[in-house]
Amino acid sequence: KAGVTQTPRYLIKTRGQQVTLSCSPISGHRSVSWYQQTPGQGLQFLFEYFSETQRNKGNFPGRFSGRQFSNSRSEMNVSTLELGDSALYLCASSLNPGQDYGYTFGSGTRLTVV
Amino acid sequence: SQQGEEDPQALSIQEGENATMNCSYKTSINNLQWYRQNSGRGLVHLILIRSNEREKHSGRLRVTLDTSKKSSSLLITASRAADTASYFCAARGSQGNLIFGKGTKLSVKP
């Protein structure tokens, strides 16, 4: 079965612009989580969605937002980009949240802000 | 904030040797998981150990969990060059989301 698909793989944006990243989970998985990975901060939790509802949110400013659609696909949006937003953004899917399942990760979207 | 903290930050060994990585976490957990990441790609789930389990095996992997010390260890036996990667522990707390440590970078020399 197909894995977690993240698009685009690479993105270069200018400071002040906004960006939308997409994640399609494994078929049948209803929970999607987003992480930001940087060399300095490591893997930081952004949000978790289940059945189109945000269940948890990490400690990020309001410029970071997300949503989940009825087919479980998820998007995250970053507005007014800053240089510090340059990172690898990873999406992970699981059957249900908060259970004894491991996550399946996508390959990530590498965002560079110039 | 990081839930898990791995130790050491970097580890370099020869092929055939065993590699041990440790993880400490801060709050009570439902389970603890270990993941591998190759060179800035997505993470791959390796093994999950529940809070009521003390040890778990999967192939060449052995994970232990000590909830009284809030710590876990991952042992990779008979390491191969292909095991070269970063390894992360991740703790699932009561709120359900998975919080990752900063990882151990393992280098296995052929």
Side-chain angles (χ1 to χ4, degrees):
Chain A
K1 67 186 173 183
V4 178
T5 303
Q6 289 190 247
T7 56
R9 287 293 311 277
Y10 301 94
L11 208 46
I12 300 175
K13 288 286 189 178
T14 305
R15 265 183 307 177
Q17 286 187 312
Q18 75 161 16
V19 67
T20 299
L21 311 182
S22 177
C23 171
S24 293
I26 287 176
S27 178
H29 282 195
R30 298 191 296 162
S31 178
V32 173
S33 297
W34 288 90
Y35 290 84
Q36 180 197 65
Q37 186 177 30
T38 58
Q41 297 298 315
L43 280 149
Q44 299 283 314
F45 171 71
L46 280 157
F47 357 78
E48 180 183 32
Y49 287 90
F50 174 69
S51 293
E52 302 177 67
T53 301
Q54 188 180 90
R55 288 190 77 243
N56 284 302
K57 188 177 193 303
N59 190 24
F60 277 82
R63 300 185 297 107
F64 290 81
S65 62
R67 57 179 175 168
Q68 186 180 35
F69 301 96
S70 57
N71 62 356
S72 294
R73 191 177 72 85
S74 177
E75 288 181 348
M76 66 162 282
N77 185 77
V78 188
S79 62
T80 321
L81 283 165
E82 300 177 359
L83 295 179
D85 297 333
S86 294
L88 180 66
Y89 289 87
L90 291 162
C91 162
S93 79
S94 64
L95 275 167
N96 291 303
Q99 302 292 322
D100 285 343
Y101 304 120
Y103 283 4
T104 303
F105 279 82
S107 295
T109 294
R110 185 163 295 281
L111 171 65
T112 302
V113 182
V114 297
Chain B
S1 63
Q2 305 299 129
Q3 169 71 290
E5 295 290 335
E6 288 89 345
D7 168 55
Q9 290 187 341
L11 182 60
S12 182
I13 60 173
Q14 295 293 132
E15 222 170 15
E17 293 180 338
N18 295 343
T20 300
M21 286 158 267
N22 302 298
C23 166
S24 59
Y25 56 91
K26 296 174 185 173
T27 62
S28 61
I29 59 169
N30 292 333
N31 64 59
L32 189 131
Q33 305 177 29
W34 286 88
Y35 289 79
R36 184 186 74 227
Q37 184 179 37
N38 288 90
S39 208
R41 302 295 299 271
L43 281 76
V44 174
H45 179 254
L46 295 175
I47 195 165
L48 179 153
I49 186 165
R50 295 179 178 82
S51 59
N52 61 354
E53 296 175 315
R54 291 297 167 257
E55 188 171 310
K56 202 160 183 181
H57 297 253
S58 176
R60 294 184 296 113
L61 305 180
R62 182 176 79 110
V63 168
T64 61
L65 179 65
D66 187 335
T67 52
S68 66
K69 294 181 180 176
K70 291 188 168 54
S71 68
S72 174
S73 69
L74 171 69
L75 168 68
I76 304 174
T77 59
S79 295
R80 305 165 182 167
D83 294 328
T84 294
S86 290
Y87 291 81
F88 296 87
C89 69
R92 187 185 292 284
S94 56
Q95 285 198 319
N97 55 299
L98 210 54
I99 304 296
F100 286 82
K102 290 205 170 183
T104 292
K105 200 165 189 175
L106 174 65
S107 174
V108 182
K109 298 183 181 351

